[in-house]
Amino acid sequence: MENIQIIHTREQLKTISDPLRVQLLILLIEKEYTGQQLSEILEIPRSKVHYHLKALEKVNFIQLIREEVKGGTVQKFYRAVALSFLPGTELFPYADEISQANRMALIKTIDRVKERVFNAPSTAFFEDDKYSTSMIQAEVNLTKDQFEKISNKINELFDELILMEQENKLNSNTRMYYLGSFGFEITNGFWG
């Protein structure tokens, strides 16, 4: 899986502007799923999921990573090809579409975070007389260069996180954790 995939065509941009496709892509960034599993998670018909998976696969946002035969049925497992998707400079004339696609991706990601919070075990928030969560947020005045510097450091941490996860594939002493990061310009801060 790549860290970043650049979106080069308007067709790719339009594909990722659909809210359901963004939701599918977010899930497939987290881990591999079959169409049936995605259908059950999202509580929508499998045929609808497969339609949107094909659209994402057509523009190279996801790929088939393996197949398993189970009870005479072939199960196809899909995974996103990258952790994030950014528009190429050739798409800048479509700034409104880029903005809408990015806004939709952020909203769907926040929805996923809310779902994860509601379904987390109670030990996720308090275990062994200590807090076991990580919550950080800030509204700060920065230059664009400073914001990019911090964003790059966060991306480096996520690169390290992915390497740790790959090293832990055979380690039975691991737990699942949810980590996320958001950063974007706002019009005025909490205190402003």
Side-chain angles (χ1 to χ4, degrees):
M1 181 183 281
E2 301 282 328
N3 283 332
I4 297 171
Q5 176 167 315
I6 303 299
I7 301 170
H8 292 290
T9 69
R10 190 168 185 205
E11 179 187 6
Q12 288 178 310
L13 187 60
K14 287 173 75 174
T15 299
I16 204 170
S17 295
D18 181 279
L20 178 56
R21 291 179 188 158
V22 170
Q23 201 168 7
L24 291 169
L25 193 56
I26 289 168
L27 289 168
L28 293 170
I29 287 171
E30 290 178 9
K31 66 185 235 180
E32 63 185 47
Y33 286 105
T34 66
Q36 177 64 38
Q37 290 169 329
L38 292 166
S39 171
E40 291 168 5
I41 291 168
L42 299 174
E43 299 178 347
I44 58 175
R46 189 171 63 183
S47 59
K48 187 173 185 176
V49 169
H50 283 291
Y51 172 80
H52 290 288
L53 287 175
K54 290 297 173 202
L56 290 168
E57 188 176 30
K58 180 180 175 189
V59 294
N60 299 315
F61 287 159
I62 66 169
Q63 63 185 357
L64 177 67
I65 58 167
R66 67 185 171 94
E67 294 180 345
E68 285 182 8
V69 178
K70 200 172 196 178
T73 304
V74 177
Q75 295 183 325
K76 296 181 178 184
F77 288 83
Y78 293 91
R79 185 84 198 251
V81 298
L83 293 172
S84 62
F85 298 82
L86 300 174
T89 55
E90 65 272 22
L91 292 176
F92 285 176
Y94 306 107
D96 288 340
E97 288 171 299
I98 292 169
S99 179
Q100 185 59 27
N102 288 338
R103 190 181 310 261
M104 187 59 57
L106 182 58
I107 289 168
K108 290 299 178 184
T109 301
I110 291 169
D111 288 345
R112 184 72 175 149
V113 171
K114 288 192 306 190
E115 177 188 322
R116 289 297 203 203
V117 169
F118 286 127
N119 293 320
S122 59
T123 56
F125 306 105
F126 191 79
E127 181 179 24
D128 300 331
D129 296 329
K130 65 181 179 204
Y131 291 102
S132 51
T133 57
S134 170
M135 293 181 274
I136 301 169
Q137 73 172 8
E139 292 183 5
V140 293
N141 288 308
L142 300 173
T143 66
K144 186 165 177 55
D145 287 343
Q146 290 170 324
F147 179 79
E148 287 176 6
K149 181 179 178 182
I150 292 298
S151 293
N152 287 335
K153 286 183 178 183
I154 292 169
N155 286 334
E156 288 172 13
L157 285 173
F158 273 85
D159 289 345
E160 185 178 339
L161 176 70
I162 296 302
L163 289 174
M164 285 179 186
E165 183 186 31
Q166 290 170 349
E167 291 170 359
N168 284 334
K169 291 274 186 208
L170 301 175
N171 186 346
S172 61
N173 294 324
T174 62
R175 295 181 182 181
M176 289 295 294
Y177 292 92
Y178 191 91
L179 297 170
S181 171
F182 306 102
F184 50 92
E185 182 181 351
I186 56 176
T187 53
N188 52 15
F190 181 75
W191 306 108

